[in-house]
Amino acid sequence: MLRLLAVIACLAKVAIATCPDDPEVDLCETTGEETGSGFRSSPWMALVLPLATARPKVATGLALVLALAVGAEAVTCGELKDFYKSEACCGSPTTVLSNPVPGSPACPYNFNKPACNTAEPQTPRDLSTGATGSMVPKAATLTDAQANFLPLVNVHFHLGAEHKSDAYNNDTDAMAYDAASSGRRLASNPRPGFMCPTDTLTDAQMTPYTFQHCTGDVQVGKSYEVHYVHSSAGTDNDASDGMNADLLADGLGGAANGRGLLNPMVVVQGQIYQIVNGGPTVNDLLHGWTVVGHNNSVMYSGSTTGQSHDNSVCSPYVITWHVDKDCHQVSPESFDNLCKQMKDLYGMSVDLAPHGSRILVSPTYVVQSQYVVPLA
Ligand SMILES: *[C@@H]1O[C@H](CO)[C@@H](O)[C@H](O)[C@H]1NC(C)=O
Ligand SMILES: *[C@@H]1O[C@H](CO)[C@@H](O)[C@H](O)[C@H]1NC(C)=O
């Protein structure tokens, strides 16, 4: 709408030649001194008509834009004039408007994050034996087959597991981080999540490795929860390549708003890898959580995660989670190759470093255990 006023201001200069009245003066004069004229009853046309003779196409387009911008609930010239004055625009064309121009449609979306006590069930949920939850999900949980129908739009990983299970439950690093940052987010360091056990690893298995492609805190012995994000807002450009993942990119923009969609269906598959020297080689960690058959995986309804959410500020997105409850050892070379593929095949960069892990969500804000079911 600011642009609309700018257009009006520009057109006003052109209009002066044929229109006897200065629109700036008219918008600012009081009702008593209203200057009447044929054009006056339709100020928009008064501005546009002088242009019509010279460039009919442009003028028609502008008239249409102005008509649409002003909105269907016909705003009167008087209302617009009152608004112009109440915003203290008179004699001050660079003043920034503090209210929407009358007739502007209200945005139906509120992008403030919801408080947890009004949000839908959240993620990461504790998946340990006996862990409880309180909420009943409203959204359906998509199945494995339905997930694979949705294009893969992003792959990223978190330092440690955001989820907690019987297999990954070492919170030593997480507790140290939280104590050091007194609950507040440290800008440069990602918050560690739960780690797979390291006490059984030999010195040889713990030998450090210099990663060539992954950046940030990626180390032998540490665990990472890799998220495979599928969304109906993605696309499969090449159906013949057997890979439903043609638009992989950094971040969650493609999942949340790809192709302008505002209500996509999203499934995230979470697999937890521990980097171990001499660990199993996995040639392609990028195009799916394909290392095992997921016989120890669950599905449930939750939300997006990350360090910007906790137990008071919650995520506004409702998505399906598929999570493998096992730790999977993988060689450092294989994990580094994941980053190499992200970079070389898709030009990704931000997601080559681990993201921080959201603090485990309180049982108050996650689904009841009856809604955490074996992956099917
Ligand atoms: C848990 O993590 C800490 C810190 O990395 C480590 O010293 C400890 O041995 C780990 N415990 C197990 C059971 O792996
Ligand atoms: C899952 O399958 C693997 C073999 O692929 C097996 O070793 C493991 O015990 C199975 N786990 C469960 C929970 O059935």
Side-chain angles (χ1 to χ4, degrees):
M1 295 314 285
L2 285 174
R3 213 174 294 137
L4 168 60
L5 284 190
V7 168
I8 295 167
C10 293
L11 287 174
K13 287 193 178 142
V14 183
I16 281 166
T18 44
C19 182
D21 306 308
D22 181 345
E24 164 79 9
V25 171
D26 186 70
L27 281 169
C28 298
E29 70 192 358
T30 58
T31 322
E33 55 198 15
E34 188 83 54
T35 31
S37 102
F39 287 131
R40 210 25 50 143
S41 60
S42 178
W44 303 120
M45 290 315 291
L47 294 171
V48 174
L49 278 176
L51 262 185
T53 17
R55 296 158 63 189
K57 260 192 183 153
V58 176
T60 314
L62 283 172
L64 191 64
V65 168
L66 291 176
L68 287 175
V70 168
E73 325 81 17
V75 176
T76 67
C77 301
E79 283 163 354
L80 196 65
K81 186 168 170 174
D82 288 344
F83 175 79
Y84 193 82
K85 287 197 229 174
S86 71
E87 288 287 320
C89 290
C90 292
S92 179
T94 56
T95 293
V96 175
L97 301 179
S98 60
N99 287 295
V101 175
S104 345
C107 177
Y109 287 88
N110 174 355
F111 293 101
N112 297 325
K113 295 189 186 218
C116 290
N117 57 13
T118 59
E120 279 299 288
Q122 298 287 303
T123 297
R125 187 194 191 279
D126 189 348
L127 302 175
S128 311
T129 306
T132 59
S134 311
M135 298 184 74
V136 176
K138 297 185 187 70
T141 300
L142 300 185
T143 64
D144 192 40
Q146 289 166 331
N148 290 323
F149 226 76
L150 304 175
L152 187 62
V153 291
N154 170 263
V155 175
H156 65 270
F157 51 95
H158 292 260
L159 175 59
E162 293 199 289
H163 286 90
K164 181 186 183 187
S165 80
D166 295 344
Y168 37 89
N169 59 12
N170 187 335
D171 64 357
T172 308
D173 293 357
M175 303 266 277
Y177 179 97
D178 291 344
S181 61
S182 58
R184 280 180 50 243
R185 176 181 185 174
L186 297 180
S188 52
N189 305 333
R191 180 183 181 276
F194 296 95
M195 299 289 168
C196 300
T198 47
D199 60 346
T200 49
L201 298 179
T202 64
D203 287 349
Q205 287 178 311
M206 287 291 284
T207 308
Y209 178 86
T210 304
F211 289 83
Q212 305 292 323
H213 306 285
C214 296
T215 58
D217 191 357
V218 178
Q219 294 183 47
V220 170
K222 293 199 176 181
S223 304
Y224 299 87
E225 180 168 332
V226 180
H227 286 162
Y228 299 91
V229 184
H230 296 254
S231 171
S232 58
T235 49
D236 184 19
N237 284 352
D238 182 359
S240 68
D241 65 4
M243 210 170 272
N244 196 359
D246 295 311
L247 290 180
L248 270 186
D250 279 324
L252 293 179
N257 191 217
R259 295 180 293 126
L261 270 69
L262 287 175
N263 63 341
M265 284 186 285
V266 176
V267 177
V268 181
Q269 297 158 326
Q271 180 105 61
I272 288 74
Y273 299 99
Q274 183 183 40
I275 303 178
V276 174
N277 230 324
T281 297
V282 182
N283 288 323
D284 187 356
L285 284 170
L286 179 61
H287 294 104
W289 63 337
T290 50
V291 296
V292 283
H294 307 296
N295 53 0
N296 194 25
S297 299
V298 294
M299 56 185 194
Y300 74 94
S301 183
S303 70
T304 59
T305 62
Q307 253 181 289
S308 58
H309 306 112
D310 49 28
N311 279 307
S312 54
V313 176
C314 270
S315 161
Y317 292 101
V318 176
I319 67 180
T320 289
W321 279 91
H322 295 170
V323 185
D324 191 320
K325 295 198 285 183
D326 288 329
C327 283
H328 297 279
Q329 295 190 346
V330 68
S331 71
E333 293 84 356
S334 297
F335 204 84
D336 209 18
N337 190 51
L338 162 66
C339 295
K340 182 179 192 315
Q341 287 181 300
M342 289 161 86
K343 193 166 53 176
D344 291 354
L345 300 181
Y346 300 100
M348 295 168 71
S349 61
V350 175
D351 288 339
L352 306 186
H355 292 253
S357 288
R358 180 178 182 174
I359 195 163
L360 191 69
V361 177
S362 149
T364 313
Y365 305 125
V366 301
V367 293
Q368 297 170 8
S369 49
Q370 70 192 96
Y371 298 104
V372 181
V373 298
L375 181 63

